[in-house]
């Protein structure tokens, strides 16, 4: 799509081309299911503290494991943006997803996941660095603050159901976070195993990489 076609198709006052692309991919997967959605009150560009404009969560049983499937809105260019037209990647080029083992419907609102995603977004926005498949990051404590869990780090994999898609602003990849234990984190940090090896050790038994906070270090 060139700039002329973009201007003809979208209205600069109220169009959300990038947001619509994310919605369309999730809609293909979840059809008529209405997600739980959390939005920001004050946008980041207007001085708000949260870089992501929104986070949605869907109920899923893919792979036979009941879980919530989260998706971010904000690492890519969401709104009308003539300068982004024709780029190879939409802004940082990815949105983050996360699958949390949970009873369906969930017994509590998992607001902590939104906080986790926003913290990662602050890191990306402030550092200018981004995540790719098989990257990893320590959480410097439990990924859910003040909670008894052995999950203390994150690795990044391609979301098994949401494929890379072309938006009017460039490609959008869906990178999924997966929680790892201190033992796994230590193996990566001490070069006993690569991040890819840790990831692949889970693929056969947990192909959708659902994070279970009750999983213990081995």
């Amino acid at each position: 799509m060139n700039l002329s076609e973009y201007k003809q198709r979208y209205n600069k006052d109220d169009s959300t081309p990038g947001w619509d692309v994310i919605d369309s991919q999730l809609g293909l997967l979840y059809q008529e299911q209405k997600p739980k959605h959390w939005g920001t009150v004050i946008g980041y560009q207007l001085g708000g503290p949260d870089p992501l404009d929104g986070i949605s969560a869907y109920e899923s049983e893919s792979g036979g494991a009941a879980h919530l499937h989260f998706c971010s809105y904000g690492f890519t260019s969401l709104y009308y943006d003539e300068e982004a037209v024709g780029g190879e990647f939409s802004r940082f080029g990815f949105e983050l997803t996360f699958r949390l083992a949970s009873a369906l419907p969930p017994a509590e609102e998992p607001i902590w996941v939104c906080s986790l995603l926003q913290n990662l977004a602050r890191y990306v926005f402030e550092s200018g660095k981004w995540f790719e498949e098989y990257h990893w990051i320590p959480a410097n404590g439990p990924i859910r603050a003040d909670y008894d869990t052995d999950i203390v780090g994150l690795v990044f994999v391609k979301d098994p159901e949401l494929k890379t898609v072309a938006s009017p602003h460039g490609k959008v990849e869906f990178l999924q976070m997966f929680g790892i234990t201190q033992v796994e984190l230590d193996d990566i940090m001490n070069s006993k195993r690569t991040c890819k090896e840790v990831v692949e050790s889970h693929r056969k038994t947990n192909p959708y990489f659902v994070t279970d906070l009750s999983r213990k270090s081995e």
Side-chain angles (χ1 to χ4, degrees), residues 10 18 54 69-70 87 96 108 120 125 156 161 172 180-181 208:
Y10 299 107
H69 188 192
F70 295 81
L96 287 179
E108 61 178 354
L120 290 171
F125 278 63
F156 298 86
E161 292 184 296
V172 177
I180 58 172
T181 65
Y208 288 85

Side-chain angles (χ1 to χ4, degrees), residues 130-196:
W130 58 87
F131 300 116
E132 297 180 7
E133 187 175 31
Y134 302 128
H135 281 188
W136 57 275
I137 189 170
N140 299 318
I143 64 168
R144 180 176 179 178
D146 302 317
Y147 189 84
D148 184 16
T149 178
D150 287 356
I151 307 300
V152 295
L154 296 166
V155 294
F156 298 86
V157 299
K158 291 182 179 180
D159 189 290
E161 292 184 296
L162 296 172
K163 306 306 180 185
T164 300
V165 62
S167 84
H169 304 141
K171 289 191 292 186
V172 177
E173 185 175 50
F174 294 93
L175 280 181
Q176 183 172 311
M177 310 181 302
F178 175 64
I180 58 172
T181 65
Q182 188 66 58
V183 170
E184 293 164 330
L185 185 61
D186 287 344
D187 282 354
I188 295 172
M189 295 177 69
N190 297 325
S191 300
K192 290 184 177 180
R193 288 190 288 172
T194 65
C195 181
K196 183 176 181 179

